PDB file of all heavy atoms in Angstrom:
ATOM      1  N   TRP A 654      16.813 -51.425  13.621  1.00 97.00           N
ATOM      2  CA  TRP A 654      17.623 -52.347  14.405  1.00 97.00           C
ATOM      3  C   TRP A 654      18.146 -51.609  15.646  1.00 97.00           C
ATOM      4  O   TRP A 654      18.432 -50.412  15.567  1.00 97.00           O
ATOM      5  CB  TRP A 654      18.818 -52.886  13.547  1.00 97.00           C
ATOM      6  CG  TRP A 654      18.388 -53.848  12.504  1.00 97.00           C
ATOM      7  CD1 TRP A 654      17.800 -55.058  12.707  1.00 97.00           C
ATOM      8  CD2 TRP A 654      18.489 -53.698  11.118  1.00 97.00           C
ATOM      9  NE1 TRP A 654      17.520 -55.683  11.505  1.00 97.00           N
ATOM     10  CE2 TRP A 654      17.934 -54.866  10.514  1.00 97.00           C
ATOM     11  CE3 TRP A 654      18.971 -52.696  10.257  1.00 97.00           C
ATOM     12  CZ2 TRP A 654      17.876 -55.035   9.115  1.00 97.00           C
ATOM     13  CZ3 TRP A 654      18.915 -52.883   8.881  1.00 97.00           C
ATOM     14  CH2 TRP A 654      18.364 -54.038   8.332  1.00 97.00           C
ATOM     15  N   GLU A 655      18.243 -52.336  16.735  1.00 95.00           N
ATOM     16  CA  GLU A 655      18.573 -51.708  18.010  1.00 95.00           C
ATOM     17  C   GLU A 655      20.045 -51.349  18.083  1.00 95.00           C
ATOM     18  O   GLU A 655      20.404 -50.270  18.570  1.00 95.00           O
ATOM     19  CB  GLU A 655      18.297 -52.720  19.155  1.00 95.00           C
ATOM     20  CG  GLU A 655      16.817 -52.950  19.419  1.00 95.00           C
ATOM     21  CD  GLU A 655      16.166 -51.704  19.984  1.00 95.00           C
ATOM     22  OE1 GLU A 655      16.779 -51.076  20.851  1.00 95.00           O
ATOM     23  OE2 GLU A 655      15.066 -51.355  19.508  1.00 95.00           O
ATOM     24  N   SER A 656      20.902 -52.273  17.675  1.00 95.00           N
ATOM     25  CA  SER A 656      22.316 -52.096  17.950  1.00 95.00           C
ATOM     26  C   SER A 656      23.139 -52.921  16.981  1.00 95.00           C
ATOM     27  O   SER A 656      22.612 -53.835  16.311  1.00 95.00           O
ATOM     28  CB  SER A 656      22.630 -52.580  19.361  1.00 95.00           C
ATOM     29  OG  SER A 656      22.372 -53.991  19.412  1.00 95.00           O
ATOM     30  N   THR A 657      24.443 -52.612  16.935  1.00 94.00           N
ATOM     31  CA  THR A 657      25.321 -53.427  16.080  1.00 94.00           C
ATOM     32  C   THR A 657      25.426 -54.864  16.626  1.00 94.00           C
ATOM     33  O   THR A 657      25.607 -55.795  15.850  1.00 94.00           O
ATOM     34  CB  THR A 657      26.734 -52.807  15.995  1.00 94.00           C
ATOM     35  OG1 THR A 657      27.193 -52.532  17.296  1.00 94.00           O
ATOM     36  CG2 THR A 657      26.720 -51.544  15.148  1.00 94.00           C
ATOM     37  N   GLU A 658      25.235 -55.018  17.917  1.00 95.00           N
ATOM     38  CA  GLU A 658      25.258 -56.395  18.495  1.00 95.00           C
ATOM     39  C   GLU A 658      24.155 -57.230  17.887  1.00 95.00           C
ATOM     40  O   GLU A 658      24.323 -58.399  17.565  1.00 95.00           O
ATOM     41  CB  GLU A 658      25.121 -56.360  20.025  1.00 95.00           C
ATOM     42  CG  GLU A 658      26.321 -55.845  20.783  1.00 95.00           C
ATOM     43  CD  GLU A 658      26.478 -54.300  20.702  1.00 95.00           C
ATOM     44  OE1 GLU A 658      25.440 -53.623  20.493  1.00 95.00           O
ATOM     45  OE2 GLU A 658      27.613 -53.819  20.792  1.00 95.00           O
ATOM     46  N   GLU A 659      22.989 -56.609  17.714  1.00 95.00           N
ATOM     47  CA  GLU A 659      21.843 -57.336  17.131  1.00 95.00           C
ATOM     48  C   GLU A 659      22.209 -57.750  15.693  1.00 95.00           C
ATOM     49  O   GLU A 659      21.929 -58.889  15.266  1.00 95.00           O
ATOM     50  CB  GLU A 659      20.598 -56.429  17.096  1.00 95.00           C
ATOM     51  CG  GLU A 659      19.401 -57.099  16.467  1.00 95.00           C
ATOM     52  CD  GLU A 659      18.207 -56.160  16.335  1.00 95.00           C
ATOM     53  OE1 GLU A 659      18.286 -54.994  16.804  1.00 95.00           O
ATOM     54  OE2 GLU A 659      17.217 -56.610  15.753  1.00 95.00           O
ATOM     55  N   LEU A 660      22.902 -56.855  14.962  1.00 95.00           N
ATOM     56  CA  LEU A 660      23.273 -57.168  13.578  1.00 95.00           C
ATOM     57  C   LEU A 660      24.338 -58.260  13.525  1.00 95.00           C
ATOM     58  O   LEU A 660      24.275 -59.157  12.675  1.00 95.00           O
ATOM     59  CB  LEU A 660      23.797 -55.895  12.889  1.00 95.00           C
ATOM     60  CG  LEU A 660      22.778 -54.759  12.762  1.00 95.00           C
ATOM     61  CD1 LEU A 660      23.437 -53.540  12.157  1.00 95.00           C
ATOM     62  CD2 LEU A 660      21.602 -55.185  11.938  1.00 95.00           C
ATOM     63  N   GLU A 661      25.282 -58.183  14.445  1.00 94.00           N
ATOM     64  CA  GLU A 661      26.327 -59.226  14.493  1.00 94.00           C
ATOM     65  C   GLU A 661      25.707 -60.574  14.724  1.00 94.00           C
ATOM     66  O   GLU A 661      26.150 -61.598  14.196  1.00 94.00           O
ATOM     67  CB  GLU A 661      27.336 -58.915  15.591  1.00 94.00           C
ATOM     68  CG  GLU A 661      28.368 -57.882  15.141  1.00 94.00           C
ATOM     69  CD  GLU A 661      29.273 -57.423  16.295  1.00 94.00           C
ATOM     70  OE1 GLU A 661      28.746 -57.099  17.386  1.00 94.00           O
ATOM     71  OE2 GLU A 661      30.475 -57.393  16.066  1.00 94.00           O
ATOM     72  N   ARG A 662      24.649 -60.616  15.549  1.00 93.00           N
ATOM     73  CA  ARG A 662      23.994 -61.900  15.844  1.00 93.00           C
ATOM     74  C   ARG A 662      23.296 -62.465  14.618  1.00 93.00           C
ATOM     75  O   ARG A 662      23.243 -63.643  14.413  1.00 93.00           O
ATOM     76  CB  ARG A 662      22.997 -61.727  16.996  1.00 93.00           C
ATOM     77  CG  ARG A 662      23.645 -61.802  18.381  1.00 93.00           C
ATOM     78  CD  ARG A 662      22.586 -62.067  19.434  1.00 93.00           C
ATOM     79  NE  ARG A 662      21.588 -61.010  19.495  1.00 93.00           N
ATOM     80  CZ  ARG A 662      21.708 -59.853  20.158  1.00 93.00           C
ATOM     81  NH1 ARG A 662      22.805 -59.619  20.863  1.00 93.00           N
ATOM     82  NH2 ARG A 662      20.746 -58.968  20.167  1.00 93.00           N
ATOM     83  N   GLN A 663      22.745 -61.569  13.777  1.00 91.00           N
ATOM     84  CA  GLN A 663      21.966 -62.128  12.672  1.00 91.00           C
ATOM     85  C   GLN A 663      22.845 -62.391  11.419  1.00 91.00           C
ATOM     86  O   GLN A 663      22.431 -63.079  10.524  1.00 91.00           O
ATOM     87  CB  GLN A 663      20.789 -61.198  12.292  1.00 91.00           C
ATOM     88  CG  GLN A 663      21.164 -59.874  11.730  1.00 91.00           C
ATOM     89  CD  GLN A 663      19.914 -59.145  11.187  1.00 91.00           C
ATOM     90  OE1 GLN A 663      19.947 -58.641  10.130  1.00 91.00           O
ATOM     91  NE2 GLN A 663      18.839 -59.095  11.941  1.00 91.00           N
ATOM     92  N   TRP A 664      24.062 -61.849  11.395  1.00 89.00           N
ATOM     93  CA  TRP A 664      24.982 -62.091  10.288  1.00 89.00           C
ATOM     94  C   TRP A 664      25.379 -63.560  10.262  1.00 89.00           C
ATOM     95  O   TRP A 664      25.809 -64.112  11.281  1.00 89.00           O
ATOM     96  CB  TRP A 664      26.205 -61.187  10.499  1.00 89.00           C
ATOM     97  CG  TRP A 664      27.158 -61.133   9.346  1.00 89.00           C
ATOM     98  CD1 TRP A 664      27.092 -60.276   8.291  1.00 89.00           C
ATOM     99  CD2 TRP A 664      28.317 -61.958   9.136  1.00 89.00           C
ATOM    100  NE1 TRP A 664      28.158 -60.529   7.453  1.00 89.00           N
ATOM    101  CE2 TRP A 664      28.897 -61.565   7.927  1.00 89.00           C
ATOM    102  CE3 TRP A 664      28.907 -63.009   9.852  1.00 89.00           C
ATOM    103  CZ2 TRP A 664      30.066 -62.131   7.432  1.00 89.00           C
ATOM    104  CZ3 TRP A 664      30.030 -63.594   9.324  1.00 89.00           C
ATOM    105  CH2 TRP A 664      30.614 -63.160   8.140  1.00 89.00           C
ATOM    106  N   GLN A 665      25.224 -64.216   9.103  1.00 91.00           N
ATOM    107  CA  GLN A 665      25.439 -65.667   9.075  1.00 91.00           C
ATOM    108  C   GLN A 665      26.506 -66.105   8.091  1.00 91.00           C
ATOM    109  O   GLN A 665      26.634 -65.540   6.994  1.00 91.00           O
ATOM    110  CB  GLN A 665      24.135 -66.360   8.670  1.00 91.00           C
ATOM    111  CG  GLN A 665      23.145 -66.460   9.799  1.00 91.00           C
ATOM    112  CD  GLN A 665      21.837 -67.075   9.328  1.00 91.00           C
ATOM    113  OE1 GLN A 665      21.875 -67.996   8.481  1.00 91.00           O
ATOM    114  NE2 GLN A 665      20.745 -66.599   9.797  1.00 91.00           N
ATOM    115  N   VAL A 666      27.242 -67.118   8.513  1.00 94.00           N
ATOM    116  CA  VAL A 666      28.270 -67.678   7.666  1.00 94.00           C
ATOM    117  C   VAL A 666      27.620 -68.708   6.726  1.00 94.00           C
ATOM    118  O   VAL A 666      26.841 -69.547   7.150  1.00 94.00           O
ATOM    119  CB  VAL A 666      29.302 -68.418   8.518  1.00 94.00           C
ATOM    120  CG1 VAL A 666      30.346 -69.119   7.634  1.00 94.00           C
ATOM    121  CG2 VAL A 666      29.964 -67.441   9.455  1.00 94.00           C
TER     122      VAL A 666
END
Side-chain angles (χ1 to χ4, degrees):
W654 287 297
E655 289 293 317
S656 64
T657 50
E658 288 75 26
E659 179 185 356
L660 298 176
E661 279 172 313
R662 276 197 301 275
Q663 67 171 228
W664 189 89
Q665 282 177 37
V666 177

